[in-house]
Amino acid sequence: MNAFVQHFRFELQTALHNKSLLLLYYLMPLGFYFMVGSIMTAINPFFTEAMIPAMLVFAVLSGAVLGLPNPQVEAREGGILRSYRINGVPAASVLTIPALTSGLHLLVVGLIITATAPLIFKAPAPISLPLLTLCYLLTITACSGLGLLIGTVSGNTQVTILWSQLIYLPSMLLGGLMVPANVLPPALQRVGLLLPGSHAMHAFRGLAMGMEVSSSWWSVLVLLAGTVLSFALSLYLFSWDSDNTNRRSHPLLALLALLPYALAALLLP
Amino acid sequence: MSKTVVEVTNLAKRYGGRTVVDRISFSVSEGEIFGLLGPNGAGKTTTLECLEGLRRPDGGDLRILGTDPVREPSRLLNLIGVQLQSSALPPTIRVDEAMKFFCAYHRVVPRFDLLERLGLSEKMKSRYQALSTGQQRRLSLALAIAHRPPVVFLDEPTAGLDVATRAELHRLMAELRQRGTTLVLSSHDMAEVEEMADRVAILLGGRIAATGSPRELTATGSGLTKISVHATGTELGHFSGVARESRHEDYHIYYTAETGPVVSAIINRISTTGGTLIDLRVERPSLEERFLELTTKEAC
């Protein structure tokens, strides 16, 4: 317990000393929120109705998908993970503690957005705070799982950026963050269902904002299954050392984490 | 008879198609300091990393106090302390924080006394990134022994250390041995290994070329003693019993197996020819010479 507390406290402080993490956890989501909030609410009234979920999902994509993988890859490349291993730090702690601290930073950002959007931008408040919290936590865990998995299988930081952007950019375009997903062509709507951002938006809209969305609970299930699979695969494929590639299996096995999203894209109405 | 603590039997490790460690075997007894010597790429670090559980061997059997590093990694953690050749800590971690952090994982009380002993007391609040290379290595050593492990692996422990810290480290190693700790070290520093190690294995091309105590190893070489003489006002020339000779600056250097008679003959010749003896040094064969002898033979 003492080790967990020490590790957690250290990881939490690390983000506060790391300019890139501060940028991804706080400055980028909050800056984007204030900027987009000022512009989009004036030109697109549909944006305002789902502004809170959209900005929450954006915050999670920045923090978890862009922010989580790099520190893991850098620690592995720099030999930090080797030091952890010889001193008895378990792989589960190396993976989950950064995810937990990142989740804590994202909760702070989420709180700021949810509390200020109705006041500053006249955005509708959620109809259920507990369901909003549930959706937000699930979005954080699903995206953190993918972030960790990217960090686990990437050999270097360049590859990390590539994989992160493959989730981040399509989520921004097809996830229903800027424009409602139902105005997109049906084929693109299907492609959007391959991404956690789209399911997060479905869940938020239907459950927390009271909008008419048919598959909200299915999206919750998809996010939950994605979380479990991505964390399990991260642990299974975890490697301490970039020189010593004794992984249990091929890194491409990580694609299995997208299975719930792929099934959703095929089967959901 | 002392207990065997580290046992390596036919250890083999390959990277791709290249054999780095080729079926080597050795054992280390309790309270012994065992040195692994060898040129770069000889397989020293790979051997240590297999023992530390960081690399999976391709063949052979390893045991540390009866524990298999590959199959029982969690049991191994409290048995060994490791100072890696290449490792790092998070750049923003403070020295005292690192001690607390790793001691918490080993479930022991933080050993701030070790930090003091290794000259890091003034750096307690400094971040890892602000430490010099020598300070980082001292911290890494303190963390390796903080949980009082019975076996300690040190990979190039004195690389980057100043003379005073090196001496302190040697004292610490001697103390650890006295308390029954077994130390396995790899080093490029022949003098250090010769001074500290009870037994040595010289690795060449992934194989053990020679093993034994430093004294035994030097005795199995050419066994020639080096006599260096600086004299003025005389021409020294040749002496019987000298196997080979050379010159270095003002010194005549003779290599011989008959040290006493050759030294007497040198002094005799200087006094009979009216010369002046400025300096005379007699050096027994060193581990370094034996090492060079072996590596030269391997290269040929």
Side-chain angles (χ1 to χ4, degrees):
Chain A
M1 190 62 194
N2 184 24
F4 180 87
V5 173
Q6 293 273 355
H7 196 158
F8 184 83
R9 197 164 52 191
F10 171 69
E11 282 289 341
L12 203 59
Q13 286 168 352
T14 299
L16 302 175
H17 289 112
N18 185 326
K19 283 178 190 153
S20 359
L21 286 185
L22 272 184
L23 180 81
L24 293 169
Y25 287 145
Y26 292 98
L27 293 180
M28 200 161 125
L30 291 176
F32 190 74
Y33 158 64
F34 285 113
M35 192 184 74
V36 170
S38 310
I39 299 167
M40 292 291 278
T41 49
I43 59 171
N44 179 5
F46 295 108
F47 174 76
T48 317
E49 65 185 27
M51 182 185 178
I52 290 179
M55 291 299 100
L56 291 181
V57 173
F58 177 78
V60 177
L61 287 171
S62 302
V65 177
L66 297 183
L68 263 180
N70 254 355
Q72 194 197 146
V73 176
E74 283 167 1
R76 194 167 49 239
E77 282 182 328
I80 295 170
L81 295 188
R82 284 158 65 88
S83 297
Y84 280 5
R85 180 167 191 187
I86 55 167
N87 284 293
V89 182
S93 297
V94 174
L95 288 170
T96 53
I97 290 176
L100 285 172
T101 56
S102 140
L104 200 64
H105 292 298
L106 291 173
L107 281 176
V108 173
V109 171
L111 201 65
I112 295 170
I113 292 171
T114 312
T116 59
L119 300 172
I120 304 173
F121 302 111
K122 306 279 183 284
I127 58 159
S128 165
L129 270 179
L131 285 175
L132 180 98
T133 311
L134 171 80
C135 294
Y136 192 44
L137 288 175
L138 261 180
T139 309
I140 291 174
T141 54
C143 290
S144 298
L146 286 178
L148 289 177
L149 195 53
I150 290 169
T152 298
V153 297
S154 300
N156 56 56
T157 46
Q158 286 88 346
V159 176
T160 312
I161 293 165
L162 183 77
W163 283 112
S164 297
Q165 290 296 347
L166 271 176
I167 293 178
Y168 181 80
L169 286 177
S171 295
M172 290 293 293
L173 296 170
L174 309 175
L177 275 75
M178 295 293 113
V179 287
N182 57 16
V183 303
L184 294 170
L188 285 181
Q189 286 184 43
R190 285 281 147 201
V191 176
L193 288 174
L194 285 167
L195 302 160
S198 307
H199 292 281
M201 284 303 287
H202 277 143
F204 273 119
R205 281 169 168 264
L207 302 176
M209 305 304 290
M211 296 175 186
E212 272 191 34
V213 180
S214 58
S215 54
S216 297
W217 281 109
W218 279 113
S219 284
V220 166
L221 272 180
V222 170
L223 290 172
L224 192 62
T227 300
V228 173
L229 262 178
S230 54
F231 272 90
L233 283 165
S234 299
L235 199 58
Y236 183 71
L237 294 169
F238 185 77
S239 161
W240 296 94
D241 190 341
S242 51
D243 297 335
N244 188 12
T245 49
N246 283 332
R247 285 186 206 279
R248 289 198 184 100
S249 192
H250 197 280
L252 281 178
L253 188 71
L255 290 173
L256 204 59
L258 297 177
L259 185 66
Y261 304 103
L263 287 176
L266 286 171
L267 304 174
L268 282 186
Chain B
M1 200 176 128
S2 55
K3 186 168 79 174
T4 299
V5 170
V6 177
E7 208 161 2
V8 176
T9 315
N10 292 324
L11 170 67
K13 179 71 189 170
R14 286 181 292 278
Y15 294 134
R18 195 166 61 92
T19 300
V20 178
V21 178
D22 192 3
R23 289 165 291 144
I24 64 168
S25 301
F26 63 88
S27 62
V28 187
S29 301
E30 188 175 28
E32 197 174 28
I33 298 184
F34 187 83
L36 280 174
L37 281 176
N40 288 337
K44 305 184 298 288
T45 297
T46 301
T47 302
L48 287 185
E49 291 188 346
C50 286
L51 282 165
E52 294 154 5
L54 287 172
R55 293 189 190 273
R56 185 179 284 269
D58 292 316
D61 189 54
L62 302 175
R63 287 283 182 275
I64 294 169
L65 287 163
T67 300
D68 183 334
V70 179
R71 291 194 184 86
E72 304 161 280
S74 52
R75 229 186 117 194
L76 183 75
L77 289 169
N78 282 323
L79 298 178
I80 64 167
V82 180
Q83 186 196 32
L84 293 167
Q85 187 182 13
S86 60
S87 68
L89 295 180
T92 57
I93 201 164
R94 292 195 316 261
V95 170
D96 62 337
E97 211 169 31
M99 180 54 84
K100 281 190 216 163
F101 182 92
F102 291 118
C103 282
Y105 272 109
H106 282 298
R107 295 168 192 218
V108 295
V109 177
R111 298 278 311 279
F112 297 115
D113 58 308
L114 276 175
L115 296 175
E116 212 164 298
R117 177 97 196 260
L118 288 163
L120 290 169
S121 51
E122 284 173 14
K123 295 283 174 185
M124 291 280 196
K125 298 290 170 194
S126 300
R127 299 201 183 278
Y128 185 73
Q129 62 194 0
L131 301 178
S132 68
T133 310
Q135 288 164 341
Q136 289 180 349
R137 290 200 66 77
R138 278 184 268 161
L139 175 59
S140 149
L141 177 70
L143 297 175
I145 58 177
H147 57 292
R148 297 187 172 90
V151 186
V152 176
F153 294 101
L154 305 171
D155 200 349
E156 301 290 347
T158 48
L161 295 188
D162 58 41
V163 178
T165 317
R166 227 173 96 99
E168 183 55 41
L169 173 70
H170 288 168
R171 275 195 292 275
L172 196 62
M173 283 164 72
E175 253 176 56
L176 287 170
R177 173 174 48 184
Q178 267 182 351
R179 286 209 298 258
T181 306
T182 306
L183 290 110
V184 181
L185 69 118
S186 111
S187 180
H188 277 106
D189 188 335
M190 303 292 156
E192 172 176 78
V193 174
E194 192 164 8
E195 182 194 334
M196 299 303 302
D198 300 304
R199 281 192 313 123
V200 173
I202 297 178
L203 279 174
L204 290 175
R207 291 183 172 200
I208 293 182
T211 185
S213 70
R215 192 172 283 273
E216 283 165 357
L217 281 181
T218 49
T220 53
S222 65
L224 299 177
T225 298
K226 182 179 170 186
I227 303 169
S228 310
V229 192
H230 178 199
T232 55
T234 182
E235 195 50 54
L236 284 174
H238 304 288
F239 297 93
S240 69
V242 169
R244 65 175 199 273
E245 58 185 84
S246 61
R247 283 206 70 149
H248 181 68
E249 293 173 353
D250 294 330
Y251 285 82
H252 287 265
I253 298 164
Y254 301 100
Y255 293 91
T256 178
E258 301 161 36
T259 315
V262 172
V263 170
S264 300
I266 291 168
I267 293 170
N268 195 27
R269 185 167 300 171
I270 294 168
S271 70
T272 54
T273 55
T276 309
L277 179 63
I278 308 290
D279 190 17
L280 186 144
R281 297 176 196 181
V282 180
E283 295 163 71
R284 68 177 179 82
S286 67
L287 188 60
E288 183 165 359
E289 276 158 338
R290 176 68 179 131
F291 177 78
L292 288 172
E293 209 176 286
L294 281 167
T295 46
T296 313
K297 207 184 287 174
E298 170 84 5
C300 295

